Amino acid sequence: MKRAKIILLLSISIWCIAIISVPLTKLLIGENILSHFLTSLFAKICHQISERSFSIRSEFLPVCSRCVAIYFSFLIGTILILSIPKIKNTLSLNTIIFISFAPIIIDVALEVLGFHASTFYTRVLTGALTGVGLSFMLSNDLIEILENKFFKNKEYSI
Amino acid sequence: MISLRSPKFLPALYGALVIAGIETVPGLNFINACCCAGILFGGFLAVFFYTQEFKNENNFLTREDSIELGIWAGILSAIAGTIINLIILALFGNIAIEMMLTMIENMNVEMPAEFQTLIDEALISKLTFFDVAFGFFTNLFINTIFSILGALIGWNVFRNKYGRKTFNI
């Protein structure tokens, strides 16, 4: 189980490091193949509008602030669950699903319908709630999948 | 493995078509701009459609089923997405970028000059085999990962109603 936890944490960390590495490598060595590749890759999953993105010394991250909040809070949530497993039992599944999706859906829907313009803070806050909620919902499943697929010989279902 | 006769094939295909549609149809693809929501939704739908085929208590959902559905929805969506994308490009040209430009203008967002140059280049550039291959493999990678996550969300949502635990021996 320990190896599966390490692999999961490593995978999420690599994803988060890939996000930060784009502006960092640009600052260090200028435009490069890695940053170009990662920017193209993340373009598949994010609008990459610079007005809505975090930047490091005016080099923008390849995903928007909401996405950054989701991915990094997913990492933080997973670390929390792995270090304090009992924390997951404090919330029911329905509560986790509600916390994960209701705020972000309301924020996006209100903006699309023109009732309020989402701000940097609402995007980060709703993204963070989604990320933490998803980590509470999925991290144990992901660990067990990794454990079963790579570190156990056979699995029987009844 | 999944085969054409497997009861999982059609639900995975429906989920894949939803992902591919959201990914490629201009306008709809802005759903994915919300952090892969479209891909997660497709993986979730694959599990949902699978549970809708259950007729009695002998049919049940396992986490492994959900993962399998997610993997296949991801793979099939990458194939379908590439094909639909090529068809749209052949018929209408790169209208996705034009729609994105209109949307950004409506949002009153100021674009950096280099971004404008990139868009201008994209509008006049022609599609190469490398572009298609790169698009396919990045879609395959991204879609499969996020579709599995969507399917796992589906597992968590439906496991109380249709779920059956698996035991490791």
Side-chain angles (χ1 to χ4, degrees):
Chain A
M1 194 64 95
K2 196 176 176 184
R3 281 178 297 184
K5 288 177 183 175
I6 291 169
I7 288 179
L8 178 67
L9 270 181
L10 265 179
S11 310
I12 306 168
S13 304
I14 287 170
W15 185 266
C16 293
I17 289 167
I19 291 170
I20 298 177
S21 71
V22 171
L24 286 183
T25 54
K26 275 185 183 174
L27 284 170
L28 288 172
I29 54 174
E31 285 289 337
N32 58 81
I33 295 173
L34 179 73
S35 68
H36 188 72
F37 170 76
L38 288 174
T39 306
S40 308
L41 186 73
F42 285 116
K44 299 268 177 193
I45 51 172
C46 185
H47 50 68
Q48 298 183 324
I49 296 173
S50 51
E51 295 270 320
R52 294 179 171 222
S53 305
F54 289 111
S55 65
I56 301 173
R57 290 190 188 175
S58 73
E59 289 292 352
F60 290 97
L61 270 66
V63 288
C64 67
S65 53
R66 201 193 300 271
C67 292
V68 168
I70 290 176
Y71 299 135
F72 281 80
S73 60
F74 189 87
L75 175 65
I76 292 166
T78 308
I79 293 169
L80 264 177
I81 284 178
L82 295 184
S83 44
I84 318 166
K86 282 182 185 173
I87 200 169
K88 200 192 168 192
N89 302 330
T90 54
L91 296 170
S92 71
L93 182 63
N94 286 341
T95 313
I96 293 172
I97 291 171
F98 182 79
I99 289 172
S100 304
F101 299 115
I104 201 166
I105 289 172
I106 291 169
D107 191 41
V108 173
L110 289 178
E111 185 175 22
V112 170
L113 296 172
F115 289 115
H116 101 116
S118 72
T119 63
F120 217 76
Y121 298 109
T122 61
R123 279 177 234 133
V124 171
L125 183 67
T126 55
L129 285 172
T130 305
V132 172
L134 285 175
S135 70
F136 273 52
M137 204 190 301
L138 302 178
S139 54
N140 280 352
D141 283 327
L142 291 170
I143 288 166
E144 285 174 29
I145 291 162
L146 288 169
E147 184 70 18
N148 289 335
K149 286 287 168 196
F150 300 111
F151 305 120
K152 287 239 168 93
N153 292 328
K154 283 197 172 180
E155 180 184 326
Y156 301 91
S157 61
I158 57 171
Chain B
M1 281 296 285
I2 202 167
S3 71
L4 289 176
R5 289 179 185 173
S6 163
K8 293 190 194 105
F9 180 75
L10 276 181
L13 183 65
Y14 296 150
L17 289 176
V18 170
I19 296 172
I22 288 173
E23 221 167 45
T24 53
V25 175
L28 273 183
N29 56 10
F30 284 104
I31 295 173
N32 262 357
C34 187
C35 308
C36 280
I39 309 175
L40 290 172
F41 184 58
F44 174 86
L45 275 185
V47 175
F48 170 73
F49 289 135
Y50 182 62
T51 58
Q52 296 310 298
E53 290 182 357
F54 291 171
K55 291 185 177 70
N56 53 48
E57 287 180 355
N58 292 328
N59 297 118
F60 52 84
L61 180 73
T62 66
R63 190 173 54 205
E64 284 66 31
D65 291 334
S66 308
I67 295 163
E68 209 176 314
L69 285 160
I71 290 172
W72 281 103
I75 293 170
L76 293 171
S77 68
I79 297 167
T82 306
I83 295 168
I84 296 172
N85 208 11
L86 286 174
I87 292 170
I88 289 177
L89 276 173
L91 291 176
F92 307 109
N94 207 341
I95 54 171
I97 290 183
E98 287 164 18
M99 283 186 73
M100 191 177 79
L101 270 177
T102 315
M103 196 172 171
I104 290 172
E105 279 166 16
N106 291 340
M107 289 164 75
N108 291 324
V109 175
E110 274 187 37
M111 281 191 296
E114 59 181 39
F115 188 63
Q116 182 65 51
T117 316
L118 282 174
I119 287 176
D120 292 340
E121 283 173 6
L123 279 170
I124 55 169
S125 66
K126 294 202 171 174
L127 200 66
T128 63
F129 175 76
F130 176 78
D131 294 331
V132 177
F134 180 77
F136 172 73
F137 284 110
T138 49
N139 277 351
L140 189 66
F141 175 68
I142 297 276
N143 289 8
T144 308
I145 289 177
F146 283 89
S147 167
I148 291 172
L149 293 179
L152 281 174
I153 293 171
W155 155 250
N156 276 288
V157 170
F158 297 118
R159 71 179 175 184
N160 287 339
K161 197 172 178 187
Y162 303 107
R164 180 75 62 92
K165 280 185 179 174
T166 56
F167 297 90
N168 302 315
I169 298 172

